[in-house]
Amino acid sequence: MVITANDPKRKSWLEIPKNSDFPIQNIPFGVFLTRDDIITIGTRIGNYAIDLGALHQLGYFEGIPLTDDIFLQDSLNDFIADGRKTWRAVRNRIADIFDITNEALKNNEEHRKVILFTLDEIEMQLPVQVGDYTDFYSSKEHAENVGIMFRGKENALMPNWLHMPVGYHGRSSSIIPSGIPIHRPQGQKLPPGAEKPTFGPSRKVDFELEMAFITTDANQLGEPIPAKDAEEYIFGLVLFNDWSARDIQRWEYVPLGPFLGKNFASSVSPWIVTLDALEPYRTEGPTPVTEQLPYLKTQGKKTFDIHLEVALKPEKDEETIISNSNFKHLYWNMSQQLAHHTINGCPINSGDMMGSGTISGKTPNSYGSMLELSWNGSKPVRLKNGQDRKFIQDNDTVIMRGYCKNTDTRIGFGEVSTKLLPIFKKD
Amino acid sequence: MVITANDPKRKSWLEIPKNSDFPIQNIPFGVFLTRDDIITIGTRIGNYAIDLGALHQLGYFEGIPLTDDIFLQDSLNDFIADGRKTWRAVRNRIADIFDITNEALKNNEEHRKVILFTLDEIEMQLPVQVGDYTDFYSSKEHAENVGIMFRGKENALMPNWLHMPVGYHGRSSSIIPSGIPIHRPQGQKLPPGAEKPTFGPSRKVDFELEMAFITTDANQLGEPIPAKDAEEYIFGLVLFNDWSARDIQRWEYVPLGPFLGKNFASSVSPWIVTLDALEPYRTEGPTPVTEQLPYLKTQGKKTFDIHLEVALKPEKDEETIISNSNFKHLYWNMSQQLAHHTINGCPINSGDMMGSGTISGKTPNSYGSMLELSWNGSKPVRLKNGQDRKFIQDNDTVIMRGYCKNTDTRIGFGEVSTKLLPIFKKD
């Protein structure tokens, strides 16, 4: 089936602001609460949220095999489980419904009233119920930077790093949508030179600029997914802020990996941009510097050119862009990550989320965490208001944005914005 | 509310074999498929499975606030979310219904026909839909044994180990109930002395003798659970076999912890034994060897005296008991584990599972893994049939059992039994 929704010449009868992340060529999927407090699955064009549950009830998806309640759910898991053919048919149909040449819905005011919402009428939710969340560590620049700081230049990259997309399991229960504030975590830290840990608020709260992909049901227990087939099982991508507490992480992480230094929160942008929508922005990743095992080899354009930025906004003040990076910098691509994750037969389900790991580029202004930007606090980051930051302060908001652009079109991810509140106090 | 279900003098009108794990003092909870292919929540007394959905529909839970479909579900998550007061009321009521002095159901053949099943009529399922699975590392003896083998005697216990119940996130999607066979995993390994990894089947497939506790909804994002309150949020325990591939694990685990060496499978016993049922078997754990931070301090009997054993059964041959251990050996108790897990505000939900980590005792016959029993292959374990085992061979079945016993009563967990098949081959 051709992806007609991507046609760069297509225009919509809905007004789309210049440089919008959501032209008719995007058509992402998300979950929102409507003005009537009803939860539904929807998409977005320009600054309109579109209720797919209502569209379906009114017959606009006729001919596409969908269960009656597929969009009347509080997560996209079941729709994602329907598979790529269905995603593509629905996305192509949405493009047709809102195409400038199609007047059926445009001229039906009664239908428009129950289908279209302005953004201030809705509240975005987590788009999937995350079954399992895995975080990779696939930026060579990030792994080297952290390695140099924590273990010195000699041992920066661990011996396994160039041979596999290193990853670990994260916590699903603390994945939250953009807009939900979090609290500064407390925990154990080892002060420099001390032999015993102390307890208290983390003093090194950090963001990690990541993206995450969301999978569909892919395999049975025991069955590996070949790298060449992996993209068939990827629904789409979101922006992902993997909050970290560096002081807690550093004391706890040996030998079983990060735990409380990570699992207090991870924030995601609420609209899942499909792999189909990203198709025009395919590109090649970095050339491998060592020979890879056959199950990890991929050919051709297996990544995407996605511009990423991080802004830091102090309370009641303007934001400063503190990092500019790109998804294409990642050394290991999603196909390699999924092939590696399943080579031992680990089952992948609809709604699973896979973080890329912090996406740092080669230059210091492209680093994807405060740990790297401030080089563990030794080079404070200057904000527009004249303040310095080594790590994130109470009441700071961290905002990540991402978009793709070529000569024809521009689509984007919107943003993931999260405010850090002081430590939790029981009411 | 008093736990009347635990009365050691209580007898049932159902026949209970001598030394059964499931006398009327146990009353565990599980999920099974009936002879009519209907999924339901149930309990077990003696060798009878009891359909709680049918009992509820027939009015036997009158007076207890329960939704109509609470037992007509494919997981215990919603029932567990109802909280301890409800669990206790239901368990006490079940004890009354099957008490030898109560003839209501006993004399109602029509009701008995839809409520009682023999074990060969049902198929046990996973008892909960696991939201998040965390694995701790709370046996000092196990951590020391592994540390000595992997890092030498000097660095056996990491500096953080005595200060916190070290843990990491595991994979929920590969948690399976007893009886489901698994495949030998494949992956990357670093041969001794080599600089580059090779690919192939794991040659060091191992079990880990663990128990896991299952939680209810406990806190909001940001809110810690004090150790003194933690048991309020623990529904019960199961036997847990955390399958491991030691060669894959060893190459991959630095710096982010175990991943593919673990996530190909973890097996659980299907009946959740409640904390209430374990009450008579409370005991104290080991005395801490160093001062613990205030948030981790607990007082009194915070663990349970649960005898554990591991049997290895080669294909078409008799089993050999290869390990005898006890849950009470664990250095860190469940209250400390849950307090630590949430000290940074990580949310705990109904159906989350927390593994104890391998439960090894002080003596070599109490070690909870082949890695320790065969000391990484250097001391093969002799089986009754004369064969030796360094690790698990294709078509071996690993069976774990557990029970509690005092002068009055004995209750148990049944077993978790899993067969290791050769590597997966696509049909």
Side-chain angles (χ1 to χ4, degrees):
Chain A
M1 192 192 301
V2 182
I3 319 173
T4 59
N6 289 358
D7 182 353
K9 295 201 190 70
R10 199 190 277 276
K11 286 186 169 21
S12 175
W13 51 264
L14 283 172
E15 192 202 327
I16 295 164
K18 197 169 184 286
N19 283 327
S20 170
D21 279 354
F22 304 99
I24 194 165
Q25 286 79 14
N26 191 341
I27 309 182
F29 293 89
V31 174
F32 57 81
L33 211 61
T34 70
R35 58 196 163 215
D36 307 314
D37 239 17
I38 291 167
I39 206 153
T40 188
I41 286 171
T43 186
R44 177 172 170 180
I45 296 178
N47 288 332
Y48 291 96
I50 294 157
D51 183 339
L52 297 183
L55 263 184
H56 188 24
Q57 277 184 313
L58 293 169
Y60 285 89
F61 292 119
E62 217 186 282
I64 303 174
L66 293 167
T67 55
D68 287 349
D69 64 347
I70 191 71
F71 296 124
L72 302 173
Q73 310 215 8
D74 61 3
S75 83
L76 278 155
N77 294 44
D78 286 354
F79 176 63
I80 294 173
D82 281 346
R84 176 168 303 280
K85 209 173 144 186
T86 302
W87 316 332
R88 195 168 285 178
V90 167
R91 194 166 156 273
N92 282 343
R93 179 69 59 87
I94 295 169
D96 286 342
I97 296 167
F98 292 93
D99 191 283
I100 200 159
T101 64
N102 187 341
E103 306 212 318
L105 176 59
K106 183 185 173 192
N107 292 339
N108 191 328
E109 205 191 321
E110 220 170 296
H111 283 190
R112 280 211 327 268
K113 258 202 264 179
V114 296
I115 287 166
L116 292 178
F117 295 81
T118 55
L119 297 179
D120 58 355
E121 293 177 312
I122 62 158
E123 194 180 298
M124 295 304 298
Q125 310 290 306
L126 205 59
V128 286
Q129 188 188 346
V130 184
D132 277 297
Y133 152 48
T134 294
D135 200 24
F136 287 96
Y137 188 56
S138 289
S139 156
K140 185 158 168 279
E141 289 76 12
H142 171 69
E144 283 171 341
N145 286 338
V146 175
I148 290 168
M149 277 183 270
F150 279 24
R151 291 178 294 270
K153 205 147 191 172
E154 301 305 301
N155 301 307
L157 267 197
M158 288 294 176
N160 55 18
W161 199 94
L162 290 171
H163 297 284
M164 64 170 74
V166 169
Y168 70 107
H169 302 118
R171 179 90 188 165
S172 302
S173 73
S174 51
I175 296 179
I176 52 173
S178 179
I180 306 282
I182 62 171
H183 289 276
R184 178 179 296 276
Q186 304 199 77
Q188 293 192 26
K189 303 164 288 180
L190 190 70
E195 287 194 354
K196 282 183 179 181
T198 56
F199 177 81
S202 168
R203 292 293 164 217
K204 293 189 173 181
V205 176
D206 199 356
F207 62 84
E208 289 194 332
L209 169 63
E210 303 195 15
M211 298 198 74
F213 68 87
I214 289 134
T215 60
T216 185
D217 297 321
N219 59 337
Q220 52 176 303
L221 186 74
E223 182 184 13
I225 301 171
K228 69 176 173 44
D229 300 338
E231 285 189 352
E232 275 306 299
Y233 303 104
I234 299 174
F235 177 65
L237 280 154
V238 290
L239 302 167
F240 194 83
N241 181 352
D242 195 26
W243 287 90
S244 303
R246 302 297 178 188
D247 39 7
I248 295 173
Q249 182 184 348
R250 182 152 196 189
W251 168 234
E252 75 176 355
Y253 89 106
V254 175
L256 299 182
F259 185 52
L260 301 184
K262 295 284 189 176
N263 66 17
F264 57 100
S266 312
S267 326
V268 301
S269 57
W271 294 108
I272 306 177
V273 176
T274 64
L275 230 53
D276 273 358
L278 293 168
E279 204 53 48
Y281 312 101
R282 273 195 186 276
T283 186
E284 274 184 50
T287 308
V289 299
T290 55
E291 177 78 6
Q292 293 170 346
L293 284 164
Y295 82 95
L296 288 171
K297 282 187 183 164
T298 56
Q299 292 194 318
K301 299 178 172 179
K302 288 289 181 188
T303 188
F304 299 93
D305 182 5
I306 306 173
H307 301 269
L308 299 168
E309 66 175 38
V310 183
L312 196 154
K313 186 187 173 307
E315 176 100 314
K316 292 177 190 164
D317 216 328
E318 65 177 328
E319 67 172 47
T320 305
I321 306 288
I322 56 174
S323 176
N324 281 282
S325 189
N326 195 304
F327 186 69
K328 72 180 179 189
H329 295 330
L330 292 167
Y331 187 82
W332 296 100
N333 62 50
M334 295 184 282
S335 300
Q336 293 171 316
Q337 290 168 343
L338 206 49
H340 183 62
H341 203 319
T342 59
I343 190 63
N344 68 345
C346 178
I348 305 294
N349 295 319
S350 176
D352 288 350
M353 208 175 260
M354 312 266 172
S356 57
T358 307
I359 307 169
S360 294
K362 288 192 196 305
T363 56
N365 67 340
S366 68
Y367 293 167
S369 64
M370 289 302 287
L371 179 68
E372 295 162 271
L373 289 165
S374 80
W375 209 253
N376 201 15
S378 67
K379 298 177 185 170
V381 175
R382 176 59 52 98
L383 303 182
K384 279 190 186 168
N385 68 2
Q387 293 179 358
D388 282 338
R389 286 290 183 283
K390 297 176 176 176
F391 289 93
I392 306 302
Q393 291 191 3
D394 286 353
N395 301 309
D396 281 353
T397 299
V398 175
I399 306 155
M400 296 175 180
R401 303 189 186 94
Y403 67 92
C404 307
K405 200 174 176 174
N406 58 25
T407 49
D408 299 319
T409 49
R410 176 196 194 282
I411 68 169
F413 289 78
E415 64 179 36
V416 52
S417 168
T418 312
K419 185 174 179 176
L420 178 68
L421 301 175
I423 61 166
F424 180 90
K425 294 229 193 297
K426 192 101 181 170
D427 299 331
Chain B
M1 192 192 301
V2 182
I3 319 173
T4 60
N6 290 358
D7 181 354
K9 295 203 189 70
R10 199 190 276 277
K11 288 187 167 23
S12 174
W13 50 265
L14 283 172
E15 191 201 327
I16 296 165
K18 197 168 184 286
N19 283 327
S20 170
D21 278 354
F22 303 99
I24 194 166
Q25 286 79 14
N26 190 341
I27 310 182
F29 292 89
V31 174
F32 58 81
L33 210 62
T34 70
R35 57 195 164 215
D36 307 314
D37 240 17
I38 291 166
I39 207 151
T40 187
I41 286 171
T43 187
R44 177 172 170 180
I45 296 178
N47 288 333
Y48 291 95
I50 294 157
D51 183 338
L52 297 183
L55 263 183
H56 188 25
Q57 278 184 312
L58 293 168
Y60 285 88
F61 293 119
E62 215 186 284
I64 303 175
L66 293 167
T67 55
D68 287 348
D69 64 347
I70 192 71
F71 297 123
L72 301 173
Q73 311 216 8
D74 61 2
S75 83
L76 279 154
N77 294 44
D78 286 354
F79 176 63
I80 294 173
D82 282 346
R84 176 168 303 281
K85 210 174 143 185
T86 302
W87 316 332
R88 195 169 284 177
V90 166
R91 194 164 156 274
N92 283 343
R93 179 68 60 86
I94 295 170
D96 286 342
I97 296 167
F98 292 93
D99 191 283
I100 200 158
T101 64
N102 186 341
E103 305 211 319
L105 176 60
K106 182 185 175 191
N107 293 339
N108 190 327
E109 205 191 321
E110 220 169 294
H111 283 190
R112 281 212 323 270
K113 257 201 264 179
V114 295
I115 287 166
L116 291 177
F117 295 81
T118 55
L119 297 180
D120 58 354
E121 293 177 313
I122 62 158
E123 194 180 297
M124 295 303 297
Q125 310 291 306
L126 205 59
V128 287
Q129 189 187 344
V130 184
D132 277 298
Y133 152 48
T134 293
D135 200 25
F136 287 96
Y137 187 56
S138 289
S139 157
K140 186 159 168 281
E141 289 77 11
H142 172 69
E144 283 171 342
N145 286 338
V146 174
I148 289 167
M149 278 183 270
F150 279 24
R151 292 178 294 270
K153 205 148 192 171
E154 300 306 301
N155 301 308
L157 267 198
M158 288 293 175
N160 55 17
W161 200 93
L162 292 170
H163 297 284
M164 63 170 73
V166 170
Y168 70 106
H169 302 117
R171 180 90 189 167
S172 303
S173 73
S174 51
I175 296 180
I176 52 173
S178 179
I180 307 282
I182 62 171
H183 289 276
R184 178 178 296 275
Q186 303 200 77
Q188 292 192 27
K189 303 165 288 180
L190 191 69
E195 287 194 356
K196 281 184 179 181
T198 56
F199 177 81
S202 168
R203 292 293 164 216
K204 293 189 172 181
V205 175
D206 199 357
F207 61 84
E208 289 194 334
L209 170 63
E210 303 195 17
M211 297 198 74
F213 69 87
I214 289 134
T215 59
T216 185
D217 297 321
N219 59 338
Q220 51 177 302
L221 186 73
E223 182 185 14
I225 301 171
K228 69 176 174 42
D229 301 337
E231 285 189 352
E232 275 306 299
Y233 303 104
I234 299 175
F235 177 64
L237 280 155
V238 290
L239 302 167
F240 193 83
N241 181 353
D242 195 26
W243 287 91
S244 302
R246 302 298 179 189
D247 38 8
I248 295 173
Q249 181 183 348
R250 182 151 197 190
W251 168 234
E252 74 176 357
Y253 90 106
V254 176
L256 299 182
F259 185 52
L260 300 184
K262 294 284 188 176
N263 66 16
F264 57 99
S266 311
S267 327
V268 301
S269 57
W271 294 107
I272 306 177
V273 176
T274 64
L275 230 54
D276 273 358
L278 293 168
E279 204 54 46
Y281 313 101
R282 273 195 186 275
T283 186
E284 275 184 48
T287 308
V289 299
T290 55
E291 177 78 6
Q292 292 170 346
L293 283 164
Y295 81 94
L296 288 172
K297 281 186 182 166
T298 56
Q299 292 193 318
K301 299 178 172 179
K302 288 288 181 188
T303 188
F304 299 93
D305 182 6
I306 306 173
H307 301 269
L308 299 168
E309 66 175 40
V310 183
L312 195 155
K313 186 185 173 308
E315 176 100 315
K316 292 176 189 165
D317 216 329
E318 65 179 328
E319 66 172 48
T320 305
I321 306 288
I322 56 174
S323 176
N324 281 281
S325 189
N326 196 304
F327 186 69
K328 72 180 179 188
H329 296 329
L330 291 167
Y331 186 83
W332 295 100
N333 62 50
M334 295 184 282
S335 300
Q336 293 171 317
Q337 290 168 342
L338 206 49
H340 183 63
H341 203 319
T342 60
I343 190 63
N344 68 345
C346 178
I348 305 294
N349 295 319
S350 176
D352 288 350
M353 208 174 261
M354 312 266 173
S356 57
T358 307
I359 307 169
S360 294
K362 288 192 196 306
T363 56
N365 66 340
S366 68
Y367 293 167
S369 65
M370 289 303 286
L371 179 69
E372 294 162 272
L373 289 165
S374 79
W375 209 253
N376 200 15
S378 66
K379 298 177 184 171
V381 174
R382 176 60 53 100
L383 304 183
K384 277 189 186 168
N385 68 3
Q387 293 178 358
D388 283 339
R389 286 290 183 282
K390 297 176 176 175
F391 289 93
I392 306 301
Q393 291 191 2
D394 285 354
N395 301 309
D396 282 353
T397 298
V398 174
I399 306 155
M400 296 176 178
R401 304 189 185 94
Y403 67 93
C404 306
K405 200 175 177 173
N406 60 23
T407 49
D408 298 319
T409 48
R410 175 194 195 283
I411 68 169
F413 289 79
E415 64 179 35
V416 52
S417 168
T418 312
K419 185 174 178 176
L420 178 68
L421 300 176
I423 60 167
F424 180 91
K425 293 228 194 299
K426 192 99 182 172
D427 299 330

